[in-house]
Amino acid sequence: MMHRRAIAILGAILITSGLIQGVRKEGAWNKAELLFIKRIQVMKTSGSINQVIVTSRGQLLVRDFNVEKLDAQVIELYSGEGRLIRKIGGYGKGPGKYHRLIDMQFSSDELVWVPDITRRINLFKISNGFLKSILLAEPVFPNGMQLDENNCFFYIGGRLAMPGQQPKLLHRYDLSGRYVTSFVTADQEIERKRIQGLDFTLLGKGPNGKLLIAQAPVHKIHIFNPADSHDVLIHLKSKKIKPVLELTEKQTAKDIDRLFRDSYLIDSIHSVAGYIIVSIRTPVAGKFLVEVLREDGVEILSDCETPGRLVGLDQGDDLIFYAKEKNGHFLIKSRLTRKMGTQ
């Protein structure tokens, strides 16, 4: 009975929020739907969930980060049913510790890669803890990370000033941590208006082996192809986002805090079935929107409320949303589907 009630409640949320259907402005595909699949209660006793990776065994790797409570941040491993198995690593600045838990990646050999703002990447075995630590040779403060195991590289996101060049956002390293090169020029509006304090580089896995790069608060997505270093820029169509052109010159620290608190900002970027999924954080606590774009920038779905924060994908590319409720922490698995239609 409770399960049926949960499904009914979630269905009502999706229908009333307008998430069930979105209309694309051009092309043969003009409708998209997000369908409820499953709801899982995660037996967390505190904190929240920022990221979920589903392992090949169906277990849930959970990243919990709060910039205001750094000593409470944690990586936890749960069963597919939401039962806690173990904690991985802990707060700190040395090997095996994380100071700002901004991202995590999971490799095919079941290692958890944890980049830290201290320029350290810690590697943990999912079964029995800390393995080793890699210190980045080039002075990049990591904002995010993506693994490229096929070519023995990893990529770090973050603004890096380049001698005689414009700052770059994407940086390639070999698996030992040796810096190789950098790509993707930083947005010039951010540079000119000196709002680097609000700047954060997000990385995501794109279609066909490509990488997705977003430089908040500029609401553009770079689609980068590591094979030939080709970079395509697409623009979000969200009507909620305040263009960076409207921001004034030389923001003060107080202005930056206000902008971060009151703005619609990109929270994460993903790729499903060749489409780019962008999660947007709103100024209302716990409220998020999603935008869906084709690789050529054509809008499929825009400014649609979701049942929670988009925190990851499962092995079948279903979307995983997180919602913190009075009676616990819940992961809501949903599937993006497409319908053929005409204009």
Side-chain angles (χ1 to χ4, degrees):
M1 182 65 70
M2 289 300 294
H3 180 65
R4 290 181 181 177
R5 181 180 295 178
I7 293 176
I9 291 172
L10 181 62
I13 291 172
L14 293 176
I15 292 170
T16 57
S17 68
L19 184 59
I20 285 294
Q21 279 197 349
V23 179
R24 204 189 69 194
K25 297 179 180 177
E26 58 181 280
W29 296 103
N30 70 355
K31 291 185 179 180
E33 295 181 328
L34 193 63
L35 302 178
F36 169 73
I37 303 297
K38 188 178 182 181
R39 178 180 168 96
I40 302 168
Q41 184 168 9
V42 179
M43 299 304 173
K44 281 181 69 67
T45 57
S46 62
S48 63
I49 295 176
N50 299 80
Q51 182 183 3
V52 171
I53 296 175
V54 181
T55 73
S56 59
R57 302 181 186 186
Q59 296 173 326
L60 307 173
L61 265 174
V62 170
R63 176 173 64 89
D64 179 353
F65 170 66
N66 186 335
V67 70
E68 296 177 356
K69 296 182 66 176
L70 292 177
D71 58 347
Q73 63 190 327
V74 67
I75 294 175
E76 297 168 317
L77 181 66
Y78 290 85
S79 71
E81 294 74 37
R83 296 188 302 272
L84 178 64
I85 298 173
R86 67 177 62 89
K87 295 184 178 182
I88 298 174
Y91 174 69
K93 292 187 177 181
K97 304 291 183 180
Y98 30 77
H99 183 60
R100 291 203 174 197
L101 194 48
I102 51 177
D103 199 358
M104 66 177 178
Q105 296 291 303
F106 189 60
S107 56
S108 59
D109 53 358
E110 298 199 326
L111 294 180
V112 186
W113 295 62
V114 183
D116 189 69
I117 202 163
T118 59
R119 303 191 184 111
R120 184 185 301 275
I121 297 177
N122 288 301
L123 278 70
F124 299 91
K125 295 181 180 179
I126 195 171
S127 57
N128 59 4
F130 178 64
L131 175 64
K132 66 177 181 178
S133 184
I134 297 173
L135 289 175
L136 297 181
E138 195 71 15
V140 177
F141 293 103
N143 288 174
M145 180 180 184
Q146 283 293 320
L147 288 170
D148 181 3
E149 294 185 78
N150 291 336
N151 296 301
C152 298
F153 293 122
F154 63 81
Y155 291 86
I156 293 293
R159 181 181 179 276
L160 175 63
M162 308 292 292
Q165 304 179 45
Q166 298 293 339
K168 303 293 185 182
L169 299 177
L170 183 68
H171 318 286
R172 178 186 287 167
Y173 294 80
D174 66 23
L175 295 183
S176 70
R178 183 181 65 87
Y179 170 74
V180 179
T181 190
S182 295
F183 310 92
V184 184
T185 301
D187 191 275
Q188 293 309 294
E189 283 296 317
I190 285 183
E191 298 300 314
R192 185 171 67 83
K193 296 192 174 182
R194 302 180 185 179
I195 51 176
Q196 288 91 351
L198 188 61
D199 177 23
F200 194 88
T201 306
L202 293 162
L203 300 185
K205 190 170 291 184
N208 304 314
K210 297 174 184 176
L211 295 175
L212 304 175
I213 304 103
Q215 188 183 12
V218 181
H219 293 278
K220 307 169 186 175
I221 304 291
H222 295 267
I223 306 174
F224 177 79
N225 188 346
D228 59 10
S229 303
H230 186 56
D231 175 27
V232 175
L233 185 65
I234 62 174
H235 296 256
L236 299 189
K237 306 300 190 295
S238 171
K239 307 301 185 297
K240 302 286 188 180
I241 292 169
K242 184 176 182 179
V244 71
L245 291 172
E246 296 181 13
L247 301 178
T248 59
E249 303 276 351
K250 300 180 181 179
Q251 306 286 319
T252 67
K254 188 175 181 180
D255 291 333
I256 295 296
D257 288 341
R258 176 182 53 79
L259 284 167
F260 184 81
R261 184 180 64 251
D262 298 340
S263 297
Y264 290 77
L265 296 173
I266 296 177
D267 190 64
S268 62
I269 43 179
H270 308 266
S271 175
V272 172
Y275 287 132
I276 297 168
I277 317 293
V278 183
S279 177
I280 300 172
R281 192 208 72 186
T282 79
V284 181
K287 298 295 183 182
F288 292 83
L289 307 174
V290 72
E291 178 160 337
V292 182
L293 302 166
R294 279 193 341 206
E295 193 174 344
D296 60 4
V298 172
E299 171 189 300
I300 301 295
L301 199 62
S302 182
D303 287 338
C304 287
E305 293 183 22
T306 65
R309 182 179 201 169
L310 180 56
V311 292
L313 310 175
D314 75 357
Q315 294 291 323
D317 280 348
D318 288 334
L319 308 180
I320 301 174
F321 297 94
Y322 164 69
K324 187 175 183 178
E325 302 175 6
K326 290 182 179 180
N327 58 335
H329 303 258
F330 293 89
L331 296 178
I332 303 162
K333 190 179 293 189
S334 302
R335 181 171 300 159
L336 182 71
T337 63
R338 297 161 289 173
K339 284 188 174 181
M340 182 68 78
T342 57
Q343 293 185 326

